[in-house]
Amino acid sequence: MSAAIISGKEISATILDEIEMEVKRLKELHGKVPGLVTILVGEHPASKSYVALKIKTAHRLGYHEVQDNQPEDISEAELLALIQSYNEDDRIHGILVQLPLPKHIDENKVIMAIDPDKDVDGFHPVNAGRLLIGGDAVRFPPCTPAGIQEMIARAGVPTSGAEVVVVGRSNIVGKPIAVMMAQKAPHANATVTIVHTRTQDMAAHCLRADILVVAAGVPNLVKPEWIKPGACVIDVGVNRVGERVSEKTGRTLPILRGDVDFDKAKEIAGWITPVPGGVGPMTICMLMRNTLNGFKGTIKD
Ligand code: GUN
């Protein structure tokens, strides 16, 4: 039997509608809206398209949205000063500096410069610490892991006592989703394993997974025979494997593939996320939710 497809596109559309209504309500009540600034340094093609999508979504929701594009050769000091100006700007509740940054800029310094209460990416060490503590301490869960957990929850995948195997140990996805799924909390309470490049028998670990989260950035890394029948497979990979020309617009678009062979995996798994249209739209949606929550933290409802 073929797996149930967990559509991030559909789930995120529902959540964005909810956010839009909440923004309208708060605007009527307080005369203010959430504010998000996206800072893009240079011309990285994938970053440009990610940022464009974030701006479009913020705009649609009625956010005060500032698009701050900076040249590739901006100095580190200039970028830090720019961030400080947004830390002090009352109309801005979320600051997003798109990564990666050019080599002459220290990413850690940039992340540290963002006010933790405007760090809607959840990358600042203060927010990483809050996430580790869990419960009410959490302020901004990082967007991709938050989106993954939301998809698992809304698809009705059981998590309590489930074996979760996370492939990849990045600060953005692997480490935080592992922590989140192990917390004593709804849609969590799982037994979690992280596997990575030094793991001896990746296949054996993956085969035990009731929920397999793959965030390695390697196309087809996870083989269909590594998937336990009926498991939930969350594919976080977004790999550009070629280009195609759009029939509608005539524009050249990247061909995207995940870290899992979707066509084969869907015949084994119980649930699976597609690429594109899976985790990607959820990440943007959670960014909008974090920005809304940052805003709500500044007003009395
Ligand atoms: N680059 C790739 N993913 C992300 C993200 O979630 N946030 C930021 N700021 N940069 C990224």
Side-chain angles (χ1 to χ4, degrees):
M1 207 178 75
S2 204
I5 310 296
I6 310 179
S7 167
K9 213 170 154 184
E10 284 172 19
I11 297 172
S12 66
T14 306
I15 298 173
L16 289 175
D17 284 346
E18 291 164 11
I19 294 176
E20 195 174 358
M21 273 165 35
E22 180 73 344
V23 171
K24 278 200 185 117
R25 188 182 72 82
L26 293 171
K27 188 178 177 184
E28 278 171 20
L29 215 57
H30 302 280
K32 294 181 194 166
V33 293
L36 173 69
V37 59
T38 47
I39 302 175
L40 173 66
V41 179
E43 301 281 334
H44 194 278
S47 291
K48 269 171 85 170
S49 63
Y50 290 142
V51 166
L53 216 50
K54 290 170 188 178
I55 291 166
K56 195 173 143 196
T57 310
H59 191 72
R60 179 213 133 170
L61 296 177
Y63 286 14
H64 166 58
E65 149 272 297
V66 178
Q67 194 177 337
D68 196 334
N69 291 0
Q70 293 292 330
E72 179 88 19
D73 62 355
I74 186 175
S75 72
E76 187 180 273
E78 283 169 326
L79 183 58
L80 296 178
L82 185 68
I83 292 168
Q84 187 53 31
S85 72
Y86 289 117
N87 283 342
E88 290 164 10
D89 184 339
D90 288 345
R91 295 224 294 159
I92 295 296
H93 309 96
I95 301 172
L96 181 135
V97 182
Q98 188 66 26
L99 304 177
L101 290 167
K103 291 217 164 24
H104 66 279
I105 298 175
D106 182 341
E107 250 170 45
N108 282 329
K109 271 195 200 165
V110 168
I111 291 170
M112 292 288 281
I114 299 171
D115 178 345
D117 290 335
K118 295 190 178 187
D119 168 39
V120 283
D121 262 326
F123 293 167
H124 192 288
V126 165
N127 285 318
R130 288 166 167 168
L131 189 84
L132 199 60
I133 292 165
D136 292 343
V138 180
R139 184 125 172 72
F140 296 120
C143 303
T144 301
I148 293 170
Q149 195 175 33
E150 191 73 39
M151 292 174 102
I152 291 171
R154 293 203 183 213
V157 181
T159 61
S160 184
E163 293 281 342
V164 171
V165 175
V166 178
V167 182
R169 52 179 159 181
S170 68
N171 287 338
I172 296 184
V173 186
K175 282 192 260 184
I177 191 63
V179 165
M180 289 161 74
M181 295 309 295
Q183 296 288 17
K184 191 169 187 168
H187 312 301
N189 277 318
T191 305
V192 180
T193 307
I194 301 181
V195 303
H196 47 73
T197 44
R198 301 294 173 95
T199 296
Q200 287 192 0
D201 191 347
M202 204 181 274
H205 286 286
C206 291
L207 253 176
R208 278 193 298 103
D210 301 308
I211 300 173
L212 183 59
V213 179
V214 192
V218 181
N220 291 336
L221 174 74
V222 169
K223 310 292 172 242
E225 58 271 23
W226 297 7
I227 297 168
K228 180 174 164 178
C232 170
V233 178
I234 307 284
D235 190 349
V236 190
V238 185
N239 305 295
R240 294 179 169 226
V241 296
E243 287 183 338
R244 66 184 178 89
V245 177
S246 163
E247 278 179 25
K248 260 200 234 159
T249 63
R251 276 196 290 173
T252 305
L253 299 171
I255 299 172
L256 303 177
R257 290 278 182 278
D259 291 351
V260 180
D261 182 338
F262 179 82
D263 289 334
K264 290 190 181 135
K266 80 174 185 338
E267 300 306 323
I268 303 163
W271 298 264
I272 191 165
T273 62
V275 178
V279 176
M282 292 302 294
T283 298
I284 296 184
C285 182
M286 294 296 110
L287 175 71
M288 299 302 144
R289 180 190 274 180
N290 279 350
T291 306
L292 174 64
N293 287 338
F295 169 62
K296 282 170 136 181
T298 67
I299 55 171
K300 288 192 191 83
D301 198 1

